[in-house]
Amino acid sequence: MATLTMIEQSGAARTPFRSPDGLQDITTETSNAASEGFDTKSALEIARIINHEDAKVAAAVKKALPEISIVIDTVARALRDGGRLIYVGAGSSGRIAALDASECPPTYSTSPSQVQYIMAGGPKALASASDVNEDSPEIGQRDIARRRPTRKDIVIGVSASGRTPYVVGAVEYARARGAMTASITCNTHTPVSEVSDTTIVVEVGPEVISGSTRMKSASAQKMVLNMITTGAMTRLGYVYDNLMVNVHMKNAKLVERGIRVLMKVCSIDRDTAIRTIKSAGKSIPIAVVMLKANVDKMEAVRRLAKSDGNVRLAIDDSRLEL
C-alpha cells in the first residue's frame, strides 16, 4: 500500500508512482468506460449508469455458483461438527462480513460464537475507517490467532481486491493451523486465492467510481455471504421448506413470525399454534416436530437432539449426511 514515504521517493526519482502491490493492474481499480464524464451527468443519468452497472452483479455471482456451493457444504459440516465460521475482512468487505455474522443469531438462533467476524481496526472500524491496519499481514495474523483456529473451523477472507495484506495474513495463518479456508474476491489470480482452499471469484468489472469497491464489489460480496450462511443453515435443517423454523421469539415481531410459521408449516389455526408453542416451551422447532410427527414434547426434544437440530430429519427420525 502507498505511504507518504513511498510517494516522496517516487517523486524524487521523477517516475510515475506505482503501488507496490500492483493495485493499478486489477480490474476493480481500472476506469469504467460506461461512467466517463460521470461528474457532468444529471442526477437521473447518474442513477441510470449505476443501475446499469449494478445489473451485472447477479450474472457475475452466477458464474461462481460451483465454488459457492462447495463453501456452503464446508460451512455446514464445520458448524455441525462443533466448529466455527470466521470471516476476515477490512473496510467495506469487513463491514459486510460483520453484518452477515451479526444477523445469523436472530435469523437462525445460532450462538454468536458460531459465526464470527474479524476486521482490520476492530469493532470500532465498523463506524469509522481504520485503513492503516489493512496494510499489515502481521496484525491479521495476530487477530486471527486470538480466535485460536482449529481443524474444525472454516476461515473465509473477504477482499474485493484479493490482496489486502491483513486478510491474506489472517487466512494464511488459519490454514497453517489446520483450519479450512476460503476467500471471496472480485479479481482473478490474487494473493488471497493462493492461501485459500476454495476461492470464490465474482468478476464484476470496473466500478462506476474507479476503485470504489463499496459499490458493485460490495453488492456481490453481500450476495455471496447471504448464499453461504443461508445455504449452510438450510443444509443444517434450520429451515423447513422455505420458512425460518429455528427462530427464537425474543420480541413482538419474532413472536408473530413464529406463530405464522407454525400455522403455515402445520396447516393449523392461530389458537392451535399459540397453544402448541406454549406447550413446546416457546420453541418453534419443538412445536413443529410435535405436530408434524404427532409426538409429545419429550420425544420431539429427543429427535431434535439426535438430528443435530435438523427439523426435517427430526420429523422423519432419520439422519442426513452432509
Side-chain angles (χ1 to χ4, degrees):
M1 293 293 180
T3 66
L4 183 58
T5 301
M6 292 175 187
I7 294 172
E8 289 171 344
Q9 290 173 345
S10 175
R14 299 183 181 278
T15 57
F17 174 73
R18 289 175 63 82
S19 172
D21 63 3
L23 203 61
Q24 75 285 340
D25 298 325
I26 63 177
T27 304
T28 51
E29 295 292 325
T30 58
S31 180
N32 191 332
S35 58
E36 290 180 355
F38 198 63
D39 64 326
T40 68
K41 307 298 184 183
S42 69
L44 181 57
E45 288 173 320
I46 287 172
R48 282 176 174 164
I49 291 170
I50 294 174
N51 179 250
H52 180 267
E53 290 298 299
D54 284 346
K56 300 176 181 179
V57 175
V61 172
K62 182 178 181 179
K63 293 179 181 179
L65 291 180
E67 292 77 21
I68 293 170
S69 67
I70 291 171
V71 176
I72 286 173
D73 274 342
T74 303
V75 171
R77 282 193 294 269
L79 296 180
R80 183 200 63 189
D81 295 340
R84 301 165 294 174
L85 163 58
I86 305 174
Y87 291 129
V88 182
S92 296
S93 298
R95 295 183 187 98
I96 291 167
L99 175 64
D100 193 72
S102 65
E103 288 184 340
C104 285
T107 307
Y108 301 108
S109 299
T110 56
S111 164
S113 65
Q114 289 181 286
V115 183
Q116 305 179 17
Y117 76 91
I118 297 171
M119 73 176 294
K124 65 181 181 181
L126 291 172
S128 59
S130 182
D131 298 333
V132 174
N133 285 352
E134 294 185 14
D135 295 347
S136 173
E138 292 81 14
I139 295 177
Q141 292 167 1
R142 180 200 69 190
D143 288 353
I144 191 68
R146 289 172 174 168
R147 305 297 173 98
R148 303 184 181 216
T150 72
R151 294 180 183 278
K152 288 186 175 183
D153 303 320
I154 175 168
V155 175
I156 301 180
V158 188
S159 169
S161 70
R163 56 189 64 220
T164 307
Y166 177 92
V167 176
V168 176
V171 174
E172 186 174 29
Y173 178 94
R175 191 182 197 186
R177 294 303 182 277
M180 297 168 283
T181 57
S183 57
I184 303 168
T185 180
C186 297
N187 291 282
T188 59
H189 309 300
T190 61
V192 75
S193 67
E194 296 175 3
V195 297
S196 303
D197 297 314
T198 305
T199 301
I200 297 170
V201 180
V202 186
E203 294 187 82
V204 296
E207 298 285 3
V208 169
I209 304 297
S210 299
S212 181
T213 52
R214 75 183 186 90
M215 300 184 77
K216 287 191 296 182
S217 297
S219 296
Q221 291 170 340
K222 179 68 167 65
M223 292 174 71
V224 172
L225 295 184
N226 280 350
M227 288 182 180
I228 290 172
T229 47
T230 300
M233 299 306 170
T234 301
R235 293 284 284 151
L236 289 169
Y238 300 163
V239 173
Y240 185 86
D241 195 6
N242 62 350
L243 301 170
M244 284 188 283
V245 293
N246 212 45
V247 64
H248 279 195
M249 300 180 292
K250 296 181 179 179
N251 57 42
K253 179 186 74 174
L254 295 179
V255 167
E256 182 60 29
R257 181 176 293 164
I259 294 169
R260 291 171 64 85
V261 164
L262 194 61
M263 291 173 63
K264 172 70 174 177
V265 170
C266 299
S267 301
I268 56 176
D269 60 45
R270 184 179 181 85
D271 289 341
T272 302
I274 292 173
R275 286 197 305 272
T276 306
I277 290 170
K278 289 180 179 178
S279 64
K282 298 183 180 179
S283 167
I284 298 301
I286 292 174
V288 170
V289 175
M290 287 173 63
L291 291 174
K292 296 291 284 187
N294 192 27
V295 297
D296 61 19
K297 178 183 176 181
M298 185 176 297
E299 174 62 12
V301 170
R302 185 196 70 79
R303 291 187 177 206
L304 284 165
K306 180 182 176 182
S307 68
D308 293 325
N310 189 309
V311 173
R312 187 175 292 276
L313 297 185
I315 293 169
D316 297 337
D317 201 18
S318 58
R319 187 177 183 86
L320 172 68
E321 291 298 332
L322 291 173

